[in-house]
Amino acid sequence: VPCTLSLPITTADVFSGTVTSVAGNTLDISGSIGSGSLSAALEAGYEYYVEITDGTHEGQRFEVTEAPCTATTIELDPAHSRSTSPSVPPTLVGAPVVLRKHWRAKDALPIAAFRATSNSATADRLMFYDPAISAYRTLWLFSNSGNPKWVLLGDSNLADSGTRVINAVEGFYVYPRTFVTTVPLYGVVRRNDCACPLNAGANFVGAFWALNQSPANRAMTVA
């Protein structure tokens, strides 16, 4: 039986500090980074985001364009679908921010907790709602000769889709096909507001704090 899940915990901060200056989509953090190098801390194969943790823009998140980042600057992509504001406010100067890795499916949901087979009809699944197509995109656990990997349903090439990012406010289904499974979750508890833009029509929203909440608790209205 499918059950709903979300990730109300974050990965550890790669950087935490304040914004020294803003130039377009670029945050200068030279006043906080010290002798470290931000770009050197970014790992290949991962996607990152910046979250504002206090002030006027608390809870807003921006996707990071990793390649142009330097030792003391972070390049943001406000046009990305996971960014919560369409532009980078110049008033972020002095604001406290954190830089984090996104959770990937294969990191947040250990493959060992699921059952892999060579058939998408019998393997465990993860089901993510895609508002762009008003339908679910499904990953199934392919046994892959003893080296299991998450594969997108319908992909005849059986490419590894375990790098699929799970967004901060995203809910999804975990669908164990044969046996009940226990999925251990671990990480850092968010201590600030969290922006949750909604699309017109259906949305699949997860919890972004590790506590029970009603729509009213989240300040959600009928509108």
Side-chain angles (χ1 to χ4, degrees):
V1 177
C3 62
T4 56
L5 189 65
S6 62
L7 299 176
I9 47 181
T10 74
T11 58
D13 299 347
V14 175
F15 165 79
S16 176
T18 56
V19 177
T20 304
S21 64
V22 179
N25 293 335
T26 304
L27 301 185
D28 183 317
I29 53 166
S30 56
S32 296
I33 195 70
S35 59
S37 171
L38 182 129
S39 55
L42 303 180
E43 296 182 53
Y46 289 90
E47 296 180 57
Y48 293 79
Y49 68 99
V50 162
E51 184 164 339
I52 318 305
T53 58
D54 200 2
T56 304
H57 307 289
E58 179 181 351
Q60 300 292 342
R61 296 181 305 283
F62 295 93
E63 291 298 301
V64 171
T65 305
E66 289 81 12
C69 292
T70 70
T72 59
T73 64
I74 308 173
E75 189 70 20
L76 306 182
D77 180 8
H80 195 286
S81 60
R82 289 193 298 260
S83 293
T84 61
S85 176
S87 61
V88 179
T91 50
L92 283 180
V93 174
V97 301
V98 293
L99 172 73
R100 301 188 182 110
K101 285 180 186 175
H102 273 296
W103 282 118
R104 306 184 302 179
K106 65 181 179 181
D107 300 325
L109 307 168
I111 284 175
F114 298 91
R115 181 174 181 266
T117 74
S118 59
N119 188 330
S120 62
T122 58
D124 287 354
R125 294 180 169 194
L126 305 175
M127 301 170 63
F128 300 92
Y129 185 73
D130 184 348
I133 60 173
S134 300
Y136 287 90
R137 296 190 186 276
T138 299
L139 304 185
W140 63 282
L141 194 57
F142 174 46
S143 54
N144 193 33
S145 301
N147 187 26
K149 60 182 179 179
W150 292 111
V151 170
L152 182 66
L153 185 66
D155 179 9
S156 59
N157 295 319
L158 299 175
D160 185 356
S161 292
T163 57
R164 198 267 190 203
V165 164
I166 301 176
N167 199 9
V169 297
E170 183 174 25
F172 55 97
Y173 281 114
V174 174
Y175 192 176
R177 303 303 294 273
T178 308
F179 303 105
V180 174
T181 187
T182 299
V183 181
L185 298 178
Y186 61 92
V188 178
V189 175
R190 177 179 277 103
R191 301 180 65 184
N192 53 270
D193 290 347
C194 184
C196 181
L198 300 176
N199 298 291
N203 292 264
F204 197 162
V205 178
F208 22 91
W209 293 292
L211 73 165
N212 293 328
Q213 283 194 300
S214 69
N217 293 148
R218 296 185 185 184
M220 300 174 88
T221 65
V222 174

